[in-house]
Amino acid sequence: YFFRQSIQFFIATAVEYLATNGHLLQSIQENIIERPCDFLRIIIPSLIYLLQNSVRYVAISNLTAPIYEVTFQCKLLTTAVVSVLMLQRRYSAKQWACLVILVVGVSVVVLGAHEESKGGGVKNQNEKDGANSENLFLGLIAITVVCLCSAFGGVYFEKVLKRPTSEGGQYRAPVSMWMRNMQMAFFSVCFALLNMMRESGREQSGEMDNDDNPITKPFMHGFTKCVYFVILLQAGGGLLVAAVIKYADNVLKDMATGVSILLSTIVSTFLFGTILSLQFAFGASIIVASVYLFSNDVPCSRCAKSSDEDNEMEMRPMLPS
């Protein structure tokens, strides 16, 4: 997490330098030093994502993989609900139906993939299910918190990205996407450093688990070239997510995540020889149909009381021509 956020910070800083034609220090002066309250607003989604990552481990520890994957898809619905509450968006009945159908389709694909992967390990899986059954309630509570954090953090960040800010009674254009990424990555790196210091204290204390193994591992334990490559991909993906939020919205971002599950399963057939079942084909058909029907309908309509300047974003290039 520390490396991913650090890479995002440096990439966002470099792009902001190019976007401002070399006036990076002036941009920092205008958007951070002169506007500290606006800068501190970004600490809210940073804390929310930190909470989400922490609670996610609780959910994974107390839920089986299929239940976790299926229940996590409910973030589509929670994101839509939070968008209605915070951004005053309105979705048609057809679009709500498409969101529900998409959750069902992704769940079908995920369950089919897990059934194919477990193979002959049905007995062991049942034993694991029995071992985790007493913590099922805790796991469901944790995954509910994760879905709510994902929805609120994403929608709040979208609101900060798109809405103009007022200063002295005058409206100012929204801060650039790259400056916002710099701000969020800065706070995320700070939180990651604090967590590393806490874990370092546990490591020095010599705490052991039931198998007499250290509870905490040394920093960068187990890092390989593949790990560094994955971190780089995640850092780039995080910046792309911010671009999707700015030029589209969180609901479409989560729908794209559902489609990515479909595409990753298809790619795995070529890389790992995964066999696609009829269940996968059925779920894939549901995903494609729901995304098509949602995106070809009117995506959303804003409340009449909001002005067009507050609710419509003109498509602008991310880098100057």
Side-chain angles (χ1 to χ4, degrees):
Y1 183 76
F2 170 77
F3 281 111
R4 176 163 61 91
Q5 295 299 327
S6 299
I7 293 173
Q8 287 185 6
F9 177 80
F10 287 117
I11 293 178
T13 302
V15 178
E16 178 70 10
Y17 177 85
L18 296 175
T20 57
N21 296 321
H23 297 88
L24 176 62
L25 295 180
Q26 180 180 351
S27 179
I28 294 176
Q29 175 75 23
E30 294 177 353
N31 298 299
I32 297 179
I33 298 177
E34 295 180 357
R35 306 168 66 187
C37 293
D38 182 74
F39 171 57
L40 292 176
R41 291 169 59 190
I42 303 299
I43 200 173
I44 297 178
S46 300
L47 285 173
I48 291 174
Y49 287 134
L50 177 65
L51 174 63
Q52 175 186 337
N53 291 331
S54 300
V55 178
R56 181 178 294 180
Y57 289 109
V58 178
I60 294 175
S61 301
N62 293 279
L63 295 175
T64 60
I67 295 178
Y68 169 81
E69 293 289 350
V70 171
T71 52
F72 186 59
Q73 304 312 316
C74 293
K75 66 178 181 177
L76 272 166
L77 300 177
T78 56
T79 300
V81 172
V82 175
S83 296
V84 171
L85 296 177
M86 293 185 60
L87 302 179
Q88 291 81 44
R89 287 206 173 110
R90 292 179 179 174
Y91 296 98
S92 64
K94 181 181 181 181
Q95 290 175 313
W96 284 109
C98 288
L99 291 175
V100 175
I101 293 173
L102 179 62
V103 172
V104 174
V106 174
S107 301
V108 170
V109 170
V110 170
L111 289 176
H114 280 291
E115 288 180 0
E116 291 291 335
S117 63
K118 70 183 182 181
V122 177
K123 182 178 179 181
N124 292 334
Q125 184 67 34
N126 290 335
E127 292 176 355
K128 184 178 180 181
D129 291 347
N132 289 339
S133 60
E134 59 182 0
N135 296 322
L136 178 62
F137 179 75
L138 176 61
L140 292 177
I141 293 296
I143 198 65
T144 302
V145 174
V146 169
C147 291
L148 291 175
C149 289
S150 175
F152 183 78
V155 173
Y156 182 88
F157 187 59
E158 178 182 355
K159 184 176 181 178
V160 171
L161 272 179
K162 292 183 176 181
R163 296 296 176 89
T165 58
S166 61
E167 183 175 333
Q170 296 181 350
Y171 282 97
R172 295 184 53 175
V175 180
S176 72
M177 179 184 68
W178 302 110
M179 175 57 67
R180 288 302 190 194
N181 274 291
M182 283 177 55
Q183 296 172 353
M184 179 171 287
F186 171 79
F187 285 118
S188 299
V189 168
C190 292
F191 293 144
L193 285 175
L194 292 176
N195 187 60
M196 288 168 54
M197 293 173 60
R198 181 179 64 87
E199 294 295 332
S200 176
R202 294 182 59 187
E203 180 181 349
Q204 294 177 359
S205 65
E207 297 182 25
M208 298 290 182
D209 57 14
N210 295 330
D211 298 327
D212 293 331
N213 295 320
I215 294 180
T216 58
K217 304 295 183 182
F219 183 61
M220 298 178 63
H221 173 78
F223 273 52
T224 62
K225 293 181 179 179
C226 292
V227 175
Y228 286 114
F229 181 69
V230 170
I231 292 174
L232 185 61
L233 288 179
Q234 289 181 341
L239 296 176
L240 290 177
V241 166
V244 172
I245 292 176
K246 181 175 178 64
Y247 295 106
D249 58 38
N250 275 277
V251 174
L252 292 179
K253 179 206 70 173
D254 288 339
M255 294 185 75
T257 303
V259 176
S260 69
I261 296 176
L262 170 64
L263 295 178
S264 62
T265 306
I266 295 176
V267 172
S268 68
T269 62
F270 300 98
L271 297 180
F272 309 110
T274 303
I275 300 176
L276 302 182
S277 61
L278 292 176
Q279 182 176 350
F280 172 84
F282 176 68
S285 302
I286 294 177
I287 293 174
V288 173
S290 61
V291 171
Y292 177 81
L293 292 175
F294 185 94
S295 58
N296 283 273
D297 195 4
V298 179
C300 61
S301 61
R302 314 289 184 138
C303 290
K305 63 180 180 180
S306 299
S307 63
D308 292 338
E309 291 182 356
D310 289 341
N311 297 307
E312 296 296 334
M313 285 298 298
E314 179 184 358
M315 294 291 290
R316 301 186 180 91
M318 289 182 286
L319 291 175
S321 57

